[in-house]
Amino acid sequence: MQLQTVFLILFAAILALGLVIFQYYYKSKSKGTLYIALSFLRFVALFCVFLLLINPKITKEQYSLEKANLIILADNTSSIGQANGVNQLVNAKKLIEENTNIAEKFDISEYVFGTELNSLDSLSFSEKATNIGRALSSLNEIFAGSNTAILMLTDGNQTLGEDYEFSGGRQKFPIYPMVVGDTTSYQDIRIDQVNTNKYAFLKNKYPMEIFVSYQGNNTVSTTLTITETGQNLYREQILLSETENSQIINTVLNASTVGIKNIKISLSPLENERNITNNSRQIGIEVIDEKTNIALVSNMLHPDLGALKKAIESNEQRSVSIIKPSLSPNELEQFDLFIIYQPDTSFEKVYSYIESKGANIFTITGPKTDWTFLNKVQNSFQKNSYDQKEEVTPILNAGFTHFDISDLVVSEFPPVETTLGELLITASYENMLSQRIKGVDLNEPLFTVLETNLRREAILLGENIWKWRVQSYREDQEFKKFDDFISKVILFLANSKPRSRLTLEYENIYQGFNKATIKATYFDETFVFDNNATLNLILSGIENNTSRQIPMLLKNGYYEADISTLPSGDYSFTASVKDENLTKTGKFTILDYDLEKQLLSSNYKKLDRLAKSTNATLYFPSQVSKFIEDIIKDNRFVPIQKSKQNVVSLIDFKILLGIIVAALTAEWFIRKYNGLI
């Protein structure tokens, strides 16, 4: 308590005493024990009133013991089920959980991982891919700033994501790997990776790159064969040895017919080879007979141009050429769609050609746009620009109906730069994104699409969209969400067919280890999204007898059916709306490929390098006791005593109020009882 407060309390006591003496004894001849009792009650009431006004406070020190965190991170993939890995993992985890010394020293948290990190509910060992790097990165974020150790129970074989060995230097906590599974090395030849295009164009050639590796001590020979529906497309003899244990085979194949091609790459097995599952790989390629050529017209250099080109060409059915507006009409003839970037008077010939051809157009404006020219050269929209630059952040329109944008998250997108002014759109339009400036929603379009009987258009009223692509990568370590969003805009513009009330979104080819879904969007007769409809998906196997009816579940602005549980093969399907004469059909292929079956042996050497890079140690399931002993003795994980100061009132105001009321009430009754006024 501060000295000033002590003096105030003493002053309050003296003042209360002085008031009581003045009231009961100054110029008063009344004396006796009755007046002493009454004056005492009055003193108590006055003193408590003054204490309420002063509100004296004291500092309380609270002490707590904070334990270090021990995270048990378990591999939940199907590869653990091989070579007694399940029993090793479960037994090791149980011994650590039941150890009282561990429980006294650590707060234990349990997680599992496959493709993603999840809290441990149960171990199913059914995940189809292993992403160790993402699991460790997620734990770094969750337990940032804490004293933490990670015990990772895994075979060390990563099949997805960033290589965890190279991210060891960024790890904030020591990682203690405990190797489960078979650590014995076997002679093995395998296909590690196949690189090829997702699409190929009819009567063109498409490249294929195949990575082959060998584990063993002898020189071996194998035959690489590429086949399609039993027909040989390519064959090559390969020699591998202990020193030259990998090769890259490059070849070019013909796309002779349209459709989905299921191509199998296989290696002839070695003598006594234990794992032949990884000797073959299936891939799917769709051969198409059309390609959309897009002109990105700009009179300046800007990062937006590269970002748009990369995003659009992520779909191999599209080709983007960055051109100057000075091209002749004959040179413009090769393009199907035009993206106009910040037009000025030099774009007059381009606009004349677009108008004569009736081509669809995507206009991007910004601070360098000549609005006087743009307002004159087209009549879809007009803007009274004030030539005042401003940064604008996007707001997503969740009710947008022209195509599905439910996967797009714009809340963390950086602002784009635009010019202030009133925008008038004369055609039928719908906003995807609207504007927010300095926290104020303007209800003005930022990214909108227009549709008339003659053409489709899109307008983006801001530059620096490249920052959105970078932000998409920061959030997901890939550009896919942004690229998919731009691809949907381009698909809308490239497709001039009348809108359909029922639209589907699906892949023609699904890898066996990826989540496979079919999405549908359904609109009522006024083209408003209907979230009360009942959609069903009827599937039938083309080569097998599989037949299923799957209800499509309502998600955030779309319907979805999960087809991940289907066995590999070719399927046809029909999506229908109950009580409506609306159906859509399609075909897809699920490839037979299990990443987790490609490797039988545990990668303990790689796990050991990870442990050393984080100042930790590698253990085996037989060394659980050694791990417990070492981590208990490790001085890095001793509990920390923390103190917390709380400033609280010396006396609760409720108690003071109670004393005041009691003292005054008692004084009043005593005075009345004794006939005093």
Side-chain angles (χ1 to χ4, degrees):
M1 187 186 301
Q2 294 181 353
L3 187 61
Q4 181 183 1
T5 305
V6 174
F7 282 127
L8 286 173
I9 293 173
L10 288 174
F11 178 73
I14 294 169
L15 181 61
L17 183 62
L19 290 172
V20 169
I21 291 172
F22 177 79
Q23 289 177 340
Y24 277 97
Y25 298 104
Y26 181 70
K27 295 182 180 182
S28 175
K29 298 178 181 179
S30 303
K31 296 181 180 179
T33 56
L34 176 63
Y35 280 87
I36 292 173
L38 290 172
S39 61
F40 174 75
L41 292 172
R42 180 63 60 89
F43 169 78
V44 169
L46 290 172
F47 182 60
C48 288
V49 169
F50 294 144
L51 282 181
L52 273 177
L53 296 174
I54 296 169
N55 190 22
K57 298 184 185 312
I58 59 171
T59 302
K60 269 189 175 181
E61 196 100 21
Q62 292 183 337
Y63 295 93
S64 61
L65 200 63
E66 185 176 282
K67 298 179 183 179
N69 298 306
L70 177 61
I71 302 170
I72 300 177
L73 181 61
D75 192 332
N76 197 35
T77 57
S78 59
S79 63
I80 302 299
Q82 305 175 93
N84 202 33
V86 171
N87 291 335
Q88 291 176 348
L89 189 151
V90 172
N91 291 337
K93 188 170 77 71
K94 185 178 180 182
L95 287 171
I96 294 166
E97 290 170 344
E98 294 177 350
N99 188 276
T100 55
N101 293 326
I102 290 285
E104 288 176 4
K105 187 171 182 178
F106 293 95
D107 285 328
I108 299 176
S109 301
E110 297 185 351
Y111 292 86
V112 295
F113 67 90
T115 54
E116 303 283 347
L117 178 74
N118 294 293
S119 296
L120 176 60
D121 182 21
S122 61
L123 288 165
S124 61
F125 304 105
S126 60
E127 293 268 1
K128 295 183 178 181
T130 309
N131 194 338
I132 298 176
R134 174 169 285 188
L136 295 176
S137 175
S138 299
L139 289 176
N140 277 338
E141 295 178 8
I142 295 170
F143 291 91
S146 63
N147 188 13
T148 301
I150 299 176
L151 172 66
M152 185 166 64
L153 302 160
T154 180
D155 57 10
N157 292 321
Q158 178 164 316
T159 56
L160 196 66
E162 181 187 13
D163 193 328
Y164 65 87
E165 180 183 352
F166 297 108
S167 64
R170 301 198 302 269
Q171 299 302 326
K172 300 173 183 176
F173 317 123
I175 300 169
Y176 296 87
M178 186 168 287
V179 186
V180 296
D182 193 350
T183 57
T184 307
S185 295
Y186 299 97
Q187 181 174 259
D188 185 40
I189 191 167
R190 63 178 178 268
I191 298 173
D192 291 315
Q193 188 173 336
V194 178
N195 293 332
T196 189
N197 296 332
K198 187 176 180 181
Y199 299 96
F201 296 97
L202 184 63
K203 297 180 181 179
N204 283 356
K205 295 181 181 292
Y206 58 93
M208 186 175 294
E209 187 177 47
I210 304 161
F211 293 78
V212 177
S213 64
Y214 166 68
Q215 178 180 306
N217 302 321
N218 303 320
T219 300
V220 297
S221 173
T222 183
T223 303
L224 173 73
T225 307
I226 303 176
T227 60
E228 179 196 337
T229 60
Q231 180 182 357
N232 283 340
L233 303 178
Y234 182 81
R235 182 187 293 267
E236 182 177 334
Q237 197 75 16
I238 301 171
L239 286 175
L240 297 165
S241 65
E242 184 179 8
T243 55
E244 297 181 1
N245 56 9
S246 65
Q247 277 195 35
I248 301 175
I249 292 88
N250 290 287
T251 185
V252 177
L253 303 176
N254 291 318
S256 55
T257 57
V258 174
I260 298 173
K261 309 300 178 184
N262 197 335
I263 296 174
K264 183 176 182 181
I265 304 103
S266 58
L267 296 169
S268 57
L270 305 177
E271 186 177 356
N272 300 321
E273 185 176 4
R274 182 172 179 180
N275 183 17
I276 61 172
T277 306
N278 56 14
N279 286 33
S280 62
R281 181 78 69 95
Q282 281 186 298
I283 62 168
I285 294 175
E286 184 180 4
V287 178
I288 55 180
D289 61 355
E290 60 181 12
K291 188 171 188 174
T292 304
N293 291 316
I294 300 165
L296 179 48
V297 190
S298 175
N299 209 16
M300 67 181 72
L301 297 176
H302 197 282
D304 283 353
L305 305 179
L308 287 166
K309 181 177 173 66
K310 287 285 187 182
I312 296 168
E313 290 186 344
S314 64
N315 185 329
E316 295 163 12
Q317 297 181 64
R318 301 182 183 122
S319 173
V320 177
S321 299
I322 301 176
I323 64 172
K324 294 286 185 181
S326 56
L327 263 63
S328 66
N330 290 336
E331 293 172 305
L332 296 175
E333 193 67 40
Q334 60 182 303
F335 299 109
D336 307 303
L337 175 65
F338 292 85
I339 302 176
I340 306 298
Y341 190 80
Q342 302 212 46
D344 54 28
T345 53
S346 64
F347 283 69
E348 187 168 1
K349 290 182 180 179
V350 175
Y351 272 100
S352 296
Y353 175 82
I354 292 171
E355 189 66 29
S356 63
K357 188 179 179 182
N360 292 343
I361 184 173
F362 179 9
T363 306
I364 302 174
T365 68
K368 300 176 185 66
T369 300
D370 185 341
W371 278 102
T372 303
F373 164 76
L374 188 56
N375 290 339
K376 182 177 67 173
V377 81
Q378 52 80 42
N379 54 16
S380 297
F381 57 95
Q382 305 285 310
K383 183 174 181 178
N384 182 20
S385 177
Y386 304 143
D387 291 328
Q388 180 181 341
K389 295 181 183 179
E390 188 60 76
E391 289 191 335
V392 177
T393 53
I395 306 172
L396 187 69
N397 175 18
F400 183 77
T401 60
H402 280 75
F403 45 85
D404 178 26
I405 57 171
S406 57
D407 291 339
L408 185 67
V409 179
V410 302
S411 56
E412 299 298 324
F413 275 8
V416 294
E417 197 169 79
T418 188
T419 53
L420 296 178
E422 298 174 358
L423 182 72
L424 174 64
I425 301 177
T426 57
S428 174
Y429 72 97
E430 184 178 16
N431 283 342
M432 283 185 284
L433 305 174
S434 56
Q435 299 181 22
R436 174 181 289 164
I437 298 179
K438 297 177 181 178
V440 178
D441 297 351
L442 301 185
N443 294 321
E444 285 284 325
L446 176 61
F447 203 153
T448 188
V449 296
L450 291 67
E451 187 172 16
T452 66
N453 294 330
L454 300 176
R455 67 164 67 166
R456 290 179 172 182
E457 294 186 47
I459 310 168
L460 172 60
L461 299 164
E463 71 173 13
N464 295 330
I465 195 175
W466 67 270
K467 294 180 180 179
W468 294 359
R469 193 168 190 260
V470 172
Q471 180 63 29
S472 178
Y473 184 85
R474 287 183 61 189
E475 292 176 353
D476 304 314
Q477 281 69 57
E478 60 181 5
F479 300 109
K480 187 175 187 303
K481 285 187 179 178
F482 176 85
D483 291 354
D484 286 352
F485 167 63
I486 296 297
S487 291
K488 289 174 182 177
V489 175
I490 299 301
L491 179 62
F492 167 79
L493 295 173
N495 184 8
S496 299
K497 296 178 182 177
R499 290 180 64 188
S500 172
R501 290 171 56 197
L502 177 63
T503 59
L504 299 178
E505 184 180 335
Y506 64 97
E507 298 284 342
N508 291 317
I509 300 166
Y510 294 97
Q511 296 287 347
F513 60 90
N514 287 336
K515 184 179 181 181
T517 60
I518 296 176
K519 295 180 180 179
T521 309
Y522 171 66
F523 305 99
D524 61 20
E525 293 180 352
T526 60
F527 278 93
V528 175
F529 179 77
D530 188 346
N531 56 9
N532 294 315
T534 302
L535 275 68
N536 290 301
L537 198 69
I538 300 174
L539 294 158
S540 60
I542 295 175
E543 296 177 352
N544 54 40
N545 295 324
T546 303
S547 180
R548 293 188 189 178
Q549 180 170 332
I550 303 174
M552 303 193 78
L553 304 179
L554 178 64
K555 300 286 185 178
N556 184 23
Y558 61 93
Y559 293 87
E560 183 180 83
D562 188 350
I563 55 174
S564 301
T565 58
L566 291 173
S568 60
D570 298 323
Y571 293 87
S572 62
F573 68 90
T574 301
S576 60
V577 183
K578 187 178 180 182
D579 300 328
E580 289 280 353
N581 188 25
L582 283 175
T583 60
K584 287 280 186 178
T585 61
K587 294 181 180 180
F588 62 87
T589 299
I590 297 180
L591 300 179
D592 184 15
Y593 180 64
D594 189 346
L595 279 170
E596 295 300 308
K597 291 181 180 178
Q598 302 303 300
L599 299 168
L600 288 180
S601 301
S602 300
N603 198 339
Y604 66 92
K605 293 181 180 178
K606 193 169 187 176
L607 289 172
D608 187 41
R609 292 192 293 270
L610 173 67
K612 289 177 180 176
S613 69
T614 61
N615 297 317
T617 309
L618 177 77
Y619 295 92
F620 294 92
S622 59
Q623 297 176 301
V624 175
S625 300
K626 180 74 167 58
F627 164 75
I628 294 172
E629 180 183 346
D630 290 347
I631 202 165
I632 287 174
K633 290 180 179 178
D634 197 324
N635 291 328
R636 290 179 294 176
F637 308 114
V638 294
I640 300 171
Q641 187 181 59
K642 290 193 173 182
S643 64
K644 183 180 180 182
Q645 288 186 340
N646 289 328
V647 179
V648 296
S649 297
L650 178 64
I651 305 173
D652 193 330
F653 79 94
K654 294 179 181 178
I655 296 174
L656 289 174
L657 287 174
I659 294 172
I660 292 168
V661 171
L664 293 176
T665 303
E667 182 186 3
W668 184 81
F669 273 110
I670 292 171
R671 293 179 69 88
K672 286 295 183 183
Y673 183 78
N674 289 280
L676 300 175
I677 298 173

